[in-house]
Amino acid sequence: MDSSDRTAALELEVESLRRRLAEAEAALRSQSGPADEAVAADVHGLRLRHEAVVQASKDAIYALSPDLQIETWNRGAEAIFGFAPDDVIGGSERDLCPPSELEALDDLVRQVQEHGSAMTVDAVRWRKDRSWIRVIQSLTPIRDHDGRTVGYAVVAHDITERKRTERQLRDAMARTSLALAAGRMGTFELDLASQRNTWSDEVYAIYGLDRAAFEPTLENVQALIHPDDRGLFADCLEKARSGGCFEVELRVRHRDGRYIWVHSRGLASFDVDHKPLALFGVVADITQRKEADRNQQLLIGELNHRVRNTLATVQAIASQTLRRAKDPADFVPSFSGRIQALSRAHTLLTRTAWQGTDLDSLVREQLLLGSTDRITCEGPDVSLEPQLALQLALVLHELGTNARKHGSLSVPNGFVTVRWMVEHAGDSRSLHLNWMERGGPRVNPPDSTGFGTLLIERMLQQGQCGHSRISFDPAGVTCEISMHLPRPAPAAGVPSEPDAAAQAPERVSGSRA
């Protein structure tokens, strides 16, 4: 029985006693003789019973005059409001009302007078310590034998704690809803007997389903699950029926036809005989997490592949450099320079998350050392894939190192020109790069082929992406490099036009490095 029902029952009891007391008093006035003493005894007994009921109640029960002056005050009223009888008897009901409640009190009295019966409202009243409380207050008219209202009976039940609990519950539910929304989670309740689900709006949103068009029975839900995951779902559901935790990650068909990943977790409730009744839980869309996990695994695999390739390259460079070094003092700078060339190329690729790098930046990174004002770079914008960029970086490093040690950059008036162009042939593209040294010492062909020359000539061939040819002309070293380039993907919404691309001139950037 809630507070309003309890208040109504108490009102009926008090009203019944009051009516019987009034009837007894009327009988007493209408009779005379020996019966007077018996009637008087009945009246006295009813008065005692009435008083006992009123004083025993934990609710506030008190009487008001027609002008709302307080005439009686029970123990329940003293406990609820904090006022002793001497503090309030003779005072006004208005003194218990905050200013904002006075209009509501006048309206309550007016309704009681108009209807001629009890009215119940939710009201706010002051306590003696000036704190406010919430009460369910019932106002009942008291009439004399002629039916005239001679006062009012008040029954008030303190609902302050109940209201506070309700507010805390609402706040907790709001916080829970906010947390579920922030986590993109929905809630579900599965009746294990009827196998019918109750979903929150968030679950319908996750699956892209319309509440009005989809009935979430267990059979319909299983039909949404990927065929390969239905056995896993059934096993987890059986585990929950046996008292375990229900937790599963599986694929579910979205309304748009694609499969999404969801994570579901819940617990079952049981009756006194430990029979499972219902399963309560949450559902979260983890598609993005699964895709991130997959991408991470791909990246780890790619990283492992690159690390292995890099280590193999370093090992080959170390072995060949050491084999051809005249002494340890010659090995260290040669080996360090080649490793630093790889490092600079790796730095460029890291800036683009290993999506490639442009040729102009690669040339500058490898050649902007020492006599930078005597190196000229000219060519269109070209994007190189990571492996091709690493191989070309080593080739450029060897050419630059040779030019500084023996070639045109070893004397004040020498210079280097690096030019490149892109050739289109149908669906294929080729990069042609020309390295030319001039103004340096007279060049004589070497008596033997060093590791640097071998690296220049064979690096691109080993990568199966092109070839290079170095010439020791008396006027200066030249190197012709040709590499196959992947065809760039067309922009979104723009059809590929190979003929137009082949005819369009490349944008050329020319500068002194």
Side-chain angles (χ1 to χ4, degrees):
M1 181 181 294
D2 60 22
S3 56
S4 59
D5 292 337
R6 187 164 53 250
T7 301
L10 184 58
E11 290 173 3
L12 291 174
E13 177 70 12
V14 172
E15 177 63 20
S16 175
L17 290 172
R18 187 191 64 78
R19 185 168 57 253
R20 291 174 61 188
L21 182 58
E23 291 173 353
E25 289 177 340
L28 181 61
R29 286 193 296 269
S30 64
Q31 296 180 11
S32 60
D36 293 348
E37 294 181 2
V39 174
D42 289 342
V43 171
H44 182 66
L46 288 172
R47 287 186 182 278
L48 291 177
R49 183 177 177 185
H50 180 272
E51 182 66 19
V53 170
V54 169
Q55 292 300 330
S57 174
K58 294 182 179 180
D59 289 334
I61 301 176
Y62 55 97
L64 302 176
S65 66
D67 59 357
L68 305 185
Q69 183 179 7
I70 299 173
E71 296 180 334
T72 63
W73 195 253
N74 75 331
R75 296 190 188 96
E78 185 175 356
I80 291 175
F81 293 100
F83 293 102
D86 292 343
D87 296 332
V88 294
I89 291 178
S92 174
E93 172 74 8
R94 298 178 183 277
D95 297 336
L96 301 177
C97 296
S100 59
E101 290 286 306
L102 292 174
E103 184 177 351
L105 176 62
D106 292 337
D107 186 58
L108 175 62
V109 173
R110 183 168 54 255
Q111 291 186 55
V112 170
Q113 292 174 345
E114 290 176 356
H115 293 86
S117 59
M119 302 293 293
T120 302
V121 295
D122 189 339
V124 176
R125 293 292 183 264
W126 288 119
R127 283 178 49 83
K128 185 177 182 179
D129 60 7
R130 302 310 288 173
S131 63
W132 60 266
I133 57 174
R134 295 287 295 271
V135 296
I136 292 180
Q137 186 179 66
S138 177
L139 192 67
T140 304
I142 301 175
R143 297 182 180 85
D144 61 13
H145 297 288
D146 298 326
R148 294 175 300 180
T149 300
V150 295
Y152 303 95
V154 178
V155 178
H157 178 71
D158 186 359
I159 58 170
T160 307
E161 281 302 317
R162 191 191 80 183
K163 289 293 185 180
R164 182 179 295 113
T165 301
E166 290 176 353
R167 184 174 64 254
Q168 292 173 347
L169 180 59
R170 287 195 301 271
D171 292 344
M173 293 179 65
R175 289 192 297 269
T176 301
S177 297
L178 185 61
L180 290 172
R184 299 180 65 186
M185 292 189 293
T187 60
F188 69 89
E189 176 184 347
L190 172 62
D191 186 321
L192 296 174
S194 65
Q195 297 192 342
R196 297 180 64 86
N197 260 305
T198 301
W199 284 355
S200 66
D201 292 338
E202 289 79 7
V203 178
Y204 285 97
I206 289 173
Y207 296 151
L209 298 173
D210 184 3
R211 179 185 289 272
F214 183 80
E215 185 178 3
T217 63
L218 185 58
E219 180 181 1
N220 290 341
V221 172
Q222 288 176 321
L224 296 176
I225 299 173
H226 192 283
D228 294 344
D229 295 340
R230 290 172 186 169
L232 176 62
F233 175 79
D235 292 342
C236 292
L237 186 59
E238 186 59 32
K239 179 181 177 181
R241 292 176 184 270
S242 302
C245 176
F246 175 81
E247 185 168 13
V248 64
E249 291 183 358
L250 42 76
R251 291 159 292 179
V252 177
R253 190 176 67 251
H254 194 272
R255 183 179 61 181
D256 59 14
R258 62 189 174 93
Y259 278 97
I260 63 172
W261 278 95
V262 297
H263 175 249
S264 183
R265 181 181 176 88
L267 290 172
S269 63
F270 299 86
D271 61 13
V272 293
D273 298 324
H274 202 66
K275 179 182 177 182
L277 298 176
L279 180 66
F280 301 87
V282 295
V283 177
D285 184 348
I286 59 170
T287 305
Q288 292 183 352
R289 193 197 78 189
K290 285 290 187 178
E291 291 176 351
D293 290 344
R294 183 175 62 85
N295 290 336
Q296 184 182 46
Q297 293 302 316
L298 291 174
L299 288 174
I300 291 174
E302 179 67 18
L303 178 61
N304 289 334
H305 176 70
R306 289 172 183 168
V307 168
R308 287 193 298 269
N309 285 346
T310 301
L311 290 176
T313 302
V314 170
Q315 183 180 18
I317 291 174
S319 176
Q320 293 295 330
T321 304
L322 181 61
R323 179 183 303 174
R324 296 174 182 272
K326 297 178 181 179
D327 53 58
D330 182 52
F331 166 77
V332 172
S334 298
F335 179 70
S336 297
R338 288 160 182 159
I339 297 303
Q340 290 173 7
L342 277 178
S343 175
R344 290 191 294 272
H346 273 257
T347 300
L348 283 177
L349 293 170
T350 301
R351 294 173 185 170
T352 62
W354 281 79
Q355 296 302 306
T357 186
D358 63 279
L359 177 57
D360 186 71
S361 297
L362 184 69
V363 172
R364 291 176 183 278
E365 283 290 331
Q366 297 301 326
L367 300 182
L368 287 186
L369 301 171
S371 305
T372 58
D373 59 333
R374 293 184 291 149
I375 301 175
T376 301
C377 300
E378 295 178 357
D381 292 338
V382 178
S383 179
L384 301 177
E385 291 185 335
Q387 190 61 32
L388 183 59
L390 291 174
Q391 293 169 346
L392 184 57
L394 287 173
V395 172
L396 292 172
H397 167 74
E398 294 300 326
L399 288 170
T401 300
N402 182 73
R404 288 185 176 86
K405 285 184 176 182
H406 313 291
S408 61
L409 298 182
S410 66
V411 297
N413 296 325
F415 62 91
V416 174
T417 301
V418 183
R419 292 188 175 91
W420 63 87
M421 61 174 291
V422 176
E423 179 182 347
H424 298 269
D427 291 337
S428 64
R429 297 190 310 152
S430 298
L431 172 67
H432 299 286
L433 184 145
N434 174 264
W435 171 283
M436 184 176 64
E437 299 181 28
R438 290 293 182 269
R442 178 182 175 82
V443 176
N444 296 312
D447 296 333
S448 61
T449 303
F451 176 59
T453 302
L454 287 176
L455 191 150
I456 292 171
E457 293 180 341
R458 297 181 181 179
M459 175 60 70
L460 299 177
Q461 292 177 350
Q462 291 177 352
Q464 298 181 351
C465 56
H467 64 273
S468 60
R469 182 176 61 85
I470 187 168
S471 300
F472 297 95
D473 299 329
V477 172
T478 61
C479 184
E480 296 289 339
I481 299 174
S482 296
M483 295 177 291
H484 302 296
L485 297 177
R487 186 164 186 82
V494 179
S496 176
E497 298 181 2
D499 295 339
Q503 297 171 7
E506 298 282 357
R507 185 172 65 86
V508 177
S509 61
S511 64
R512 282 196 175 271

